Amino acid sequence: MKAQNQTERQATAAPAIELKGISKAFGAVQANKDISISVTPGTIHGIIGENGAGKSTLMSILYGFYKADAGEIFIAGKKTEIPDSQAAIAAGIGMVFQHFKLVENFTVLENIILGAEEGRLLAPSLSKARRELVALEQEYGLQVDPDAVIQDLGVGKQQRVEILKALYRQADILILDEPTGVLTPAEADQLFRILHRLREEGKTIILITHKLREIMEITDTVSVMRRGEMVGHVKTDQTSPEELAELMVGRKVLLRVDKAPARPGGAVLEVENLRVVDEAGVERVKGINLTVRAGEILGIAGVAGNGQSELLQVLGGMHPGMGTIRVNGQALDLTGRGSDGQSRRARGIAHVPEDRQREGLIMEYHAWENVAFGYHHDPRYQRNRLLMDNAALRADTEAKMKTFDVRPPDPWLKAKNFSGGNQQKIVVAREIERNPDLLLVGQPTRGVDIGAIEFIHQQIVSLRDQGKAILLVSVELEEIFSLSDRIAVMFDGHIMGERLPDQTDEKELGLLMAGVSGEAA
């Protein structure tokens, strides 16, 4: 009955949001071009498109971060001016950004009321917020400790805090920008349950994503953007992943990795009894052994935080370790002067780190400067011993941008001004084009659109087919299954077991990822 009443209300109510003829340009770049969209109240509406398609720009206009060059915004049938985020909040709009806007050393409760305090005294505001927070948690299943400090919470709980912030401010419309980009599969499933609950309570959800599985699983309707324009509006139950992918990219897209069987050769990477202790003295990697051979991809599966990151950091020269690591039969220095990233690159190791913004790029530097990041001693970039040949470096960057379809293909653009997917392409291009003997890849397609995923996967497989060894770390099980020739599962710093992709399934790997022994799994 409740669902029936909701459907009847949707049929008669004005659109929760209606955008008409929205356009926005940044210099010569037309981010949005004459976009119109209508969102039915009490539904989950997906907006998908490649990175750089203009999705986030459009929603930033709706939330008051940008002002449109042209067009109109209607909220619940009423024309509404939204010059800033305060106006958006007043109109009942809340936004959860891909990179959370939380003060890490504040508590949950302090973050909830930040900017929404009432009066000069803080205590009454905190007391009121605590009562309302308990009510919101119970109503929407968003349990989180109000006295917990943000920096002590996992990303899934931090995201709940962002949603609670919006609900506390009386938001009826929630915009979520790539909400699962930093979540584990289990956390993503929990988020979906929360979103369903919000929809049942009459909230309108706009989900910005590039993940077709999520669109098909959770949305009611979906709009597709391509290169700043709206190219389609469809009901989710009347479309397919293949149709949506073709609309996004403008061509047919292969939704699986097309690769021949591996032809592995000799061992390139050998790890024996590797132990890693973090800066707090906690042992993160606990005596693991593994081998990666030439011409194969070894995928490391596991929930984030179980030692995979530390494994990559030691192999990439970013963190000391204890044990033995050999590359092409020669031991690596794990603690001394030869244990840095420069020494690793000299040994034929390339590294695509898990966090492109913190570890892979300098965000304030131009694209051409980031292409030289870690490779500035390359003779191709040297004019003499004292000066770099910047013209040669920019020409090399232009070539890489063309090969890897980086948008916009501007070497002078700062890294921070590229979309997340194009930032990733810059890092992948820099590392893969070095023709390494061993490629370390952490979360290669995190926050990357469907067309770019296909391309990056092809590049990784191509490197494998050239006889290179690849160690892949990903929290996306679908990606692990698609790319890996062998799969190892990590839990609590241990290797729980190895499997061949065609001799296991997600259920078995899920048990291993949860710490269930190989025999029991």
Side-chain angles (χ1 to χ4, degrees):
M1 179 65 70
K2 184 176 181 179
Q4 181 180 349
N5 290 339
Q6 184 176 352
T7 301
E8 291 173 354
R9 288 196 303 269
Q10 291 171 355
T12 58
I17 299 168
E18 191 171 14
L19 306 179
K20 296 183 178 180
I22 299 293
S23 293
K24 178 66 177 177
F26 297 95
V29 179
Q30 189 74 41
N32 291 156
K33 183 179 179 181
D34 194 25
I35 290 179
S36 297
I37 183 173
S38 178
V39 179
T40 302
T43 63
I44 300 177
H45 189 104
I47 298 181
I48 61 171
E50 292 188 276
N51 292 108
K55 310 182 299 293
S56 295
T57 298
L58 184 65
M59 291 301 102
S60 293
I61 290 170
L62 180 57
Y63 195 62
F65 271 16
Y66 298 140
K67 181 174 176 58
D69 299 331
E72 298 175 315
I73 299 173
F74 294 82
I75 306 297
K78 180 181 178 182
K79 185 176 178 180
T80 307
E81 297 292 333
I82 304 181
D84 52 37
S85 58
Q86 291 300 316
I89 292 168
I93 301 171
M95 187 162 181
V96 179
F97 293 88
Q98 184 176 5
H99 301 288
F100 305 144
K101 309 293 185 182
L102 300 171
V103 181
E104 293 199 349
N105 59 347
F106 279 20
T107 66
V108 169
L109 199 59
E110 290 166 341
N111 271 278
I112 294 292
I113 69 166
L114 189 61
E117 303 90 342
E118 297 178 5
R120 295 183 177 181
L121 298 177
L122 192 58
S125 292
L126 287 170
S127 179
K128 176 189 174 185
R130 187 180 294 274
R131 291 193 303 271
E132 293 193 16
L133 192 58
V134 170
L136 288 170
E137 288 177 347
Q138 293 174 348
E139 185 173 2
Y140 299 111
L142 284 160
Q143 282 73 26
V144 61
D145 180 3
D147 298 310
V149 178
I150 293 297
Q151 62 191 12
D152 296 331
L153 297 177
V155 290
K157 290 286 183 70
Q158 290 185 24
Q159 189 176 68
R160 291 188 193 185
V161 176
E162 286 282 24
I163 295 172
L164 284 166
K165 273 177 56 180
L167 294 175
Y168 180 74
R169 288 159 174 76
Q170 306 296 312
D172 289 316
I173 299 164
L174 275 176
I175 305 167
L176 291 92
D177 189 359
E178 299 287 359
T180 64
V182 293
L183 301 183
T184 67
E187 289 171 330
D189 289 340
Q190 175 62 22
L191 173 65
F192 293 164
R193 287 192 288 271
I194 291 168
L195 295 183
H196 278 300
R197 183 78 168 269
L198 289 165
R199 179 181 61 183
E200 288 171 2
E201 297 298 328
K203 303 296 183 183
T204 302
I205 313 292
I206 298 180
L207 180 69
I208 307 172
T209 184
H210 62 273
K211 296 183 179 181
L212 295 177
R213 181 185 69 83
E214 295 176 4
I215 285 292
M216 299 303 298
E217 181 175 338
I218 194 172
T219 64
D220 301 299
T221 51
V222 55
S223 298
V224 187
M225 294 184 66
R226 184 169 72 239
R227 300 200 177 191
E229 298 185 65
M230 194 64 72
V231 295
H233 302 284
V234 294
K235 289 186 178 295
T236 308
D237 60 7
Q238 296 176 8
T239 188
S240 67
E242 290 77 14
E243 180 185 14
L244 292 176
E246 187 171 350
L247 282 169
M248 286 168 62
V249 182
R251 60 176 174 80
K252 289 190 178 298
V253 177
L254 193 65
L255 296 179
R256 57 180 175 79
V257 178
D258 188 15
K259 63 186 178 75
R263 300 172 61 183
V268 173
L269 172 66
E270 298 168 279
V271 176
E272 296 177 1
N273 195 31
L274 179 65
R275 297 180 180 275
V276 182
V277 178
D278 68 13
E279 295 176 352
V282 178
E283 190 173 25
R284 296 297 185 183
V285 178
K286 303 175 180 179
I288 69 170
N289 302 285
L290 59 84
T291 300
V292 187
R293 296 171 290 179
E296 76 165 352
I297 299 172
L298 174 65
I300 304 289
V303 177
N306 280 278
Q308 310 97 306
S309 298
E310 290 78 10
L311 170 63
L312 284 180
Q313 288 170 354
V314 171
L315 292 171
M318 299 168 62
H319 197 287
M322 298 170 285
T324 302
I325 300 176
R326 289 187 293 271
V327 173
N328 292 323
Q330 296 185 349
L332 297 181
D333 187 345
L334 300 187
T335 57
R337 294 180 61 185
S339 63
D340 62 2
Q342 193 69 38
S343 300
R344 295 289 195 267
R345 285 184 281 274
R347 296 289 297 274
I349 301 173
H351 184 194
V352 177
E354 291 184 289
D355 190 330
R356 56 179 170 261
Q357 293 191 356
R358 293 187 180 181
E359 301 169 341
L361 297 164
I362 301 176
M363 301 304 290
E364 291 294 332
Y365 281 21
H366 301 108
W368 67 268
E369 294 169 312
N370 274 286
V371 165
F373 192 21
Y375 296 100
H376 47 282
H377 294 302
D378 189 321
R380 292 180 299 169
Y381 304 153
Q382 300 297 316
R383 183 180 301 171
N384 52 48
R385 292 186 177 181
L386 298 176
L387 298 175
M388 292 184 65
D389 188 344
N390 292 341
L393 178 52
R394 285 193 286 272
D396 185 46
T397 302
E398 288 179 355
K400 285 179 168 60
M401 286 180 148
K402 182 177 181 180
T403 300
F404 282 75
D405 192 26
V406 177
R407 303 176 191 172
D410 182 1
W412 284 100
L413 200 63
K414 290 184 177 181
K416 68 179 183 181
N417 293 326
F418 288 94
S419 67
N422 284 295
Q423 291 172 4
Q424 185 75 353
K425 286 181 184 179
I426 292 171
V427 177
V428 171
R430 181 184 67 210
E431 302 300 326
I432 284 183
E433 294 236 320
R434 292 289 158 178
N435 194 32
D437 293 328
L438 171 65
L439 177 66
L440 311 172
V441 190
Q443 317 301 342
T445 57
R446 174 177 284 167
V448 176
D449 60 67
I450 189 71
I453 287 173
E454 179 191 40
F455 181 81
I456 290 172
H457 284 174
Q458 288 172 345
Q459 297 304 307
I460 291 172
V461 171
S462 176
L463 203 64
R464 180 206 72 165
D465 292 343
Q466 295 170 39
K468 310 301 182 180
I470 297 162
L471 180 68
L472 165 73
V473 169
S474 177
V475 297
E476 301 281 356
L477 276 182
E478 184 177 350
E479 185 165 59
I480 288 287
F481 271 104
S482 294
L483 285 176
S484 303
D485 301 305
R486 286 188 296 126
I487 300 172
V489 181
M490 285 191 74
F491 171 77
D492 191 29
H494 298 281
I495 298 289
M496 296 298 296
E498 282 194 13
R499 298 291 188 271
L500 296 176
D502 59 357
Q503 295 178 13
T504 188
D505 55 28
E506 289 194 9
K507 181 178 180 181
E508 183 184 23
L509 291 189
L511 289 170
L512 292 170
M513 289 164 63
V516 179
S517 68
E519 291 76 12

